[in-house]
């Protein structure tokens, strides 16, 4: 085929470097991962809104930055605001959508699920999601509350009388909004595929460890978009049994989703951002009851299904590192934000691929000498024997000067050779 992609030697070397690290092997050098994010807007002299709105321009800026700094893999701003615009999303804010042109993506947490809703969620999650949750979370989906109980579809022919509800103007408006969101998703997915092809042609593989199903620890799933942090913290004290039952329910839902998603797309990875499990959010006793068993089970089931999970251990996990030794060895990767990266290496270095090492405050405010010194120490100690990828601690380089990134990139290549 004329358009068949032929990987360059540089592409193959970088891809192998990354895969070796994930499998706890020692590559030829420490892989460098750069999640540029909103750095690209400043680098390209455009607003953050334009970074989302003009894909072609943003892609050219991404290519320019990647060619300059030469990481092993890179990516730009996360996500798209177009689905949020189409649905009247109440839980996110984007540059140009509920924020000014120079704003940065924000998650706007609400208590969309009330404590008295647990029984409805446990009884029928799908019906609760469509007729109760979505109308609360998205302004343009309020009409879905007018639908009859979705379980009545099981009544076959005798349920067809309920289809008249689809003609109600608020329901039609909701369905049209979903159609527009679907179109936006298709456009964005096409852009992602085109970006991956263009980057591959330049010799840079995509961040395979992040491309796949997006799922969460069951506790986070219920907290982030349903109960909110305040609500779920109260639930641990007031409704512990219902919370645990709900976690079991959404665990199964997420595993089913991830497996079917990966089968349909061919991806073999899952990305799991961990929000509420870090030191300081809950006691170890609560962690052992409400967070870790469910997260561990989620990870184990994904691994058994042939999926490699990459966890983003947000905050500090220093008091929880020993638990991570229970994970399947060589089957997961973990990006650590503010944990002691040297302690991470000591405790879980033979269990999972470690990512991180470069704190954003140091990149933003440190001198070239301080950045080089940190890079040297991390490569030497955390990178020892492989199983490590160098990256910034939040996979976002907003506000960093190009000169500092250059020092970091050059130092990683200098000190990261095995």
């Amino acid at each position: 085929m004329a358009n068949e992609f032929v990987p360059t030697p540089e592409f193959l070397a970088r891809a192998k470097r990354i895969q070796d690290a994930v499998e706890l092997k020692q590559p030829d050098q420490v892989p460098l991962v750069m999640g540029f994010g909103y750095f690209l807007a400043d680098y390209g002299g455009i607003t953050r809104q334009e970074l989302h709105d003009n894909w072609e321009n943003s892609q050219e800026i991404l290519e320019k930055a990647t060619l300059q700094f030469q990481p092993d893999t890179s990516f730009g701003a996360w996500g798209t605001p177009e689905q949020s615009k189409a649905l009247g999303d109440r839980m996110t804010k984007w540059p140009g959508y509920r924020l000014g042109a120079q704003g940065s993506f924000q998650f706007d947490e609400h208590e969309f699920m009330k404590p008295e809703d647990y029984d409805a969620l446990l009884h029928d999650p799908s019906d609760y999601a469509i007729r109760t949750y979505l109308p609360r979370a998205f302004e343009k989906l309020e009409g879905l509350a007018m639908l009859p109980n979705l379980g009545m579809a099981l009544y076959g022919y005798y349920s067809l009388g309920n289809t008249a509800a689809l003609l109600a103007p608020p329901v039609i408006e909701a369905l049209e909004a979903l159609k527009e969101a679907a179109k936006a998703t298709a456009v964005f997915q096409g852009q992602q595929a085109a970006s991956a092809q263009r980057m591959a042609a330049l010799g840079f593989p995509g961040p395979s460890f992040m491309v796949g199903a997006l799922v969460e620890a069951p506790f986070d799933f219920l907290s982030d978009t349903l109960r909110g942090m305040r609500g779920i913290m109260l639930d641990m004290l007031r409704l512990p049994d219902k919370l645990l039952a709900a976690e079991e329910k959404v665990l199964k839902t997420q595993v089913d989703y991830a497996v079917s998603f990966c089968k349909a797309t061919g991806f073999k990875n899952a990305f799991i951002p961990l929000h509420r499990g870090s030191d300081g959010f809950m006691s170890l006793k609560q962690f052992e009851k409400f967070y870790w068993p469910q997260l561990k089970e989620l990870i184990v089931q994904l691994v058994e299904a042939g999926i490699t999970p990459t966890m983003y251990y947000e905050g500090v996990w220093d008091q929880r590192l020993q638990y991570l030794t229970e994970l399947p060895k060589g089957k997961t990767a973990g990006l650590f934000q503010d944990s002691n990266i040297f302690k991470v290496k000591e405790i879980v270095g033979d269990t999972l691929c470690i990512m991180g090492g470069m704190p954003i405050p140091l990149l933003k405010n440190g001198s070239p000498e301080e950045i080089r010194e940190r890079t040297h120490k991390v490569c030497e100690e955390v990178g020892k024997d492989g199983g490590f990828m160098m990256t910034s601690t939040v996979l976002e380089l907003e506000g960093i000067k190009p000169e500092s990134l250059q020092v970091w990139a050059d130092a990683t290549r200098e000190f990261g050779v095995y």
Side-chain angles (χ1 to χ4, degrees):
M1 295 177 63
N3 295 326
E4 184 176 355
F5 170 64
V6 179
T8 64
E10 293 81 7
F11 177 96
L12 293 173
R14 292 183 176 113
K16 185 177 187 303
R17 203 168 286 149
I18 293 169
Q19 189 60 36
D20 283 349
V22 171
E23 296 176 0
L24 299 186
K25 298 176 183 177
Q26 179 178 291
D28 59 335
Q29 65 184 60
V30 170
L32 174 60
V33 180
M34 283 188 168
F36 289 113
Y38 289 125
F39 164 85
L40 295 180
D42 296 334
Y43 183 76
I46 62 175
T47 66
R48 284 150 177 73
Q49 181 178 346
E50 289 174 306
L51 194 67
H52 288 293
D53 290 351
N54 190 330
W55 176 81
E56 180 63 37
N57 191 23
S58 299
Q59 177 63 27
E60 291 175 0
I61 297 171
L62 172 62
E63 293 172 11
K64 178 182 176 182
T66 303
L67 288 170
Q68 175 179 341
F69 301 112
Q70 293 284 312
D72 290 288
T73 187
S74 65
F75 50 94
W78 174 83
T80 173
E82 297 307 313
Q83 299 114 317
S84 293
K85 293 177 183 177
L87 299 178
D89 179 6
R90 293 180 170 119
M91 72 182 72
T92 62
K93 296 181 179 180
W94 301 81
Y97 175 72
R98 303 179 68 201
L99 291 176
Q102 284 287 52
S104 301
F105 171 83
Q106 297 176 21
F107 189 83
D108 187 12
E109 187 176 278
H110 294 269
E111 191 177 314
F112 293 119
M113 174 183 164
K114 307 303 178 185
E116 58 268 23
D117 291 350
Y118 269 105
D119 288 340
L121 171 68
L122 292 169
H123 175 68
D124 191 337
S126 297
D127 182 75
Y128 177 78
I130 292 175
R131 295 198 305 129
T132 302
Y133 170 71
L134 291 179
R136 292 175 182 170
F138 299 93
E139 179 183 1
K140 295 182 181 180
L141 297 184
E142 292 177 354
L144 296 180
M146 299 180 65
L147 293 174
N149 187 295
L150 299 181
M152 287 306 296
L154 294 170
Y155 208 29
Y157 167 81
Y158 300 106
S159 70
L160 296 182
N162 295 326
T163 58
L166 298 176
L167 296 177
V171 176
I172 292 175
E173 180 183 354
L175 296 178
E176 288 293 338
L178 287 169
K179 180 180 178 181
E180 292 305 309
K183 289 180 180 178
T185 300
V187 169
F188 181 64
Q189 290 175 344
Q191 292 170 344
Q192 289 181 303
S195 177
Q197 292 173 353
R198 287 173 56 164
M199 298 303 290
L202 294 175
F204 299 94
S208 57
F209 47 85
M210 289 183 62
V211 179
L214 175 64
V215 293
E216 287 191 306
F219 186 91
D220 291 336
F221 186 100
L222 287 160
S223 173
D224 287 355
T225 59
L226 291 165
R227 293 290 290 126
M229 185 171 74
R230 178 184 178 276
I232 205 162
M233 292 301 177
L234 291 174
D235 294 345
M236 286 195 290
L237 302 174
R238 298 176 179 177
L239 301 168
D241 293 339
K242 289 186 177 181
L243 172 56
L244 289 171
E247 287 192 56
E248 184 67 26
K249 184 76 73 172
V250 301
L251 190 161
K252 183 179 186 305
T253 297
Q254 290 191 95
V255 171
D256 288 348
Y257 159 74
V259 171
S260 61
F261 177 90
C262 289
K263 283 183 178 179
T265 62
F267 295 131
K268 297 180 180 180
N269 301 283
F271 185 64
I272 310 177
L274 303 175
H275 297 144
R276 312 295 196 205
S278 60
D279 300 354
F281 267 111
M282 62 179 73
S283 68
L284 283 176
K285 184 177 180 181
Q286 290 170 325
F287 179 81
E288 291 175 346
K289 181 175 182 179
F290 295 104
Y291 202 94
W292 177 244
Q294 299 81 0
L295 172 60
K296 179 183 173 182
E297 183 62 24
L298 173 70
I299 294 169
V300 168
Q301 290 193 31
L302 292 176
V303 168
E304 289 176 347
I307 298 171
T308 300
T310 295
M311 277 69 70
Y312 179 23
Y313 295 97
E314 292 190 12
V316 178
W317 278 65
D318 291 351
Q319 298 175 15
R320 285 130 165 81
L321 293 176
Q322 195 62 42
Y323 296 88
L324 306 189
T325 62
E326 302 171 11
L327 296 177
K329 294 187 183 299
K331 299 295 184 179
T332 75
L335 170 63
F336 292 86
Q337 182 179 5
D338 293 323
S339 300
N340 182 328
I341 199 71
F342 305 102
K343 186 175 181 180
V344 172
K345 175 68 174 182
E346 176 187 346
I347 296 177
V348 299
D350 62 350
T351 300
L352 54 87
C353 171
I354 300 169
M355 300 172 61
M358 180 50 66
I360 288 295
L362 179 59
L363 269 183
K364 184 172 290 187
N365 303 310
S367 67
E369 292 74 19
E370 290 171 329
I371 294 172
R372 279 179 54 82
E373 181 181 352
R374 170 73 180 194
T375 304
H376 188 185
K377 183 176 181 181
V378 170
C379 286
E380 188 175 70
E381 298 185 24
V382 187
K384 184 179 180 181
D385 298 326
F388 170 66
M389 285 190 271
M390 174 72 81
T391 186
S392 63
T393 51
V394 295
L395 285 180
E396 163 65 62
L397 297 170
E398 179 180 3
I400 308 300
K401 296 177 181 178
E403 296 81 5
S404 297
L405 288 191
Q406 193 68 66
V407 170
W408 176 40
D410 291 344
T412 300
R413 284 187 287 273
E414 178 182 351
F415 300 123
V417 176
Y418 288 101

